[in-house]
Amino acid sequence: MSEPRHTLAVIVGSTREGRFAPVIANWFTRRAETHAHIDVDVIDLDTVRPYELRGGTEAYEAFAKRVDRADAFVVITPEYNHSFPAPLKHAIDLLHPQWQAKPVGFVSYGGISGGLRAVEQLRLVFAELHATTVRETVSFPLAGNLFDERGELHDPAPAATAADALLKQLTWWAVALREARLARPYGA
């Protein structure tokens, strides 16, 4: 049985100068694109510049449409001071109904915890927005040590296995919730 197509928005949550996020995002995006039923849309907050978005502007509407069009999300987040980046929180808070009744997964990186403390806080934020977070995650502790200078993992098998498990869960939820939203529009 082939999987139904769906759109996965990969949100790159770091905007810091010298950020490691593009390495993680490029690796994950390449992995997601090996799943033929997934259409990937990378939303890099460094390009979107969420602090500059104002309701009613073309840039705001473009961001809102991309989030609304997605059937599922993967948030790529570092952990800064046991939490996630402020621009990511701001971008999430700009919208509300566009997140509702959609699944969210996480790819995190950071120090020894691999960004998992940031993920735990993001789960609370997305719960408030009526989004469904999935259990499976991909985590990179001390990420700079795991990748080579070309952005390739020294040992790709564990992360690939974790990413495939995450994408499998997201696919199930993306399709199930899309069908549910079509049958009965979600109203919180």
Side-chain angles (χ1 to χ4, degrees):
M1 175 174 125
S2 67
E3 296 282 359
R5 292 196 74 72
H6 67 279
T7 299
L8 172 66
V10 176
I11 300 173
V12 184
S14 175
T15 62
R16 279 189 179 177
E17 187 174 332
R19 66 197 176 130
F20 197 71
V23 173
I24 304 289
N26 290 337
W27 174 84
F28 182 78
T29 299
R30 286 191 310 269
R31 189 72 198 171
E33 288 172 343
T34 67
H35 295 254
H37 61 283
I38 299 174
D39 297 317
V40 179
D41 178 19
V42 177
I43 302 174
D44 188 343
L45 297 186
D46 195 48
T47 304
V48 171
R49 306 182 68 82
Y51 288 122
E52 296 176 12
L53 296 179
R54 301 289 177 265
T57 65
E58 190 175 315
Y60 175 90
E61 295 302 323
F63 174 64
K65 283 181 186 173
R66 288 174 77 185
V67 171
D68 193 47
R69 192 170 38 240
D71 296 304
F73 305 96
V74 164
V75 176
I76 296 178
T77 185
E79 182 179 311
Y80 299 151
N81 301 317
H82 290 220
S83 190
F84 55 93
L88 176 56
K89 178 69 162 90
H90 187 74
I92 294 167
D93 288 348
L94 284 170
L95 306 173
H96 193 270
Q98 294 87 344
W99 303 111
Q100 291 181 339
K102 294 180 183 179
V104 182
F106 303 98
V107 175
S108 64
Y109 62 100
I112 197 71
S113 77
L116 293 176
R117 292 176 290 217
V119 168
E120 290 308 311
Q121 292 181 30
L122 282 164
R123 289 183 190 284
L124 296 172
V125 172
F126 280 107
E128 184 63 24
L129 293 169
H130 298 248
T132 300
T133 62
V134 300
R135 181 188 176 283
E136 297 297 329
T137 61
V138 182
S139 175
F140 295 103
L142 304 171
N145 299 332
L146 303 176
F147 289 83
D148 65 19
E149 63 281 347
R150 295 178 330 243
E152 300 295 330
L153 283 163
H154 297 295
D155 182 10
T161 299
D164 290 343
L166 169 62
L167 291 165
K168 183 178 179 180
Q169 274 191 349
L170 277 173
T171 294
W172 190 92
W173 281 103
V175 173
L177 290 174
R178 180 178 60 200
E179 289 172 359
R181 288 190 314 273
L182 290 172
R184 183 176 180 188
Y186 187 82

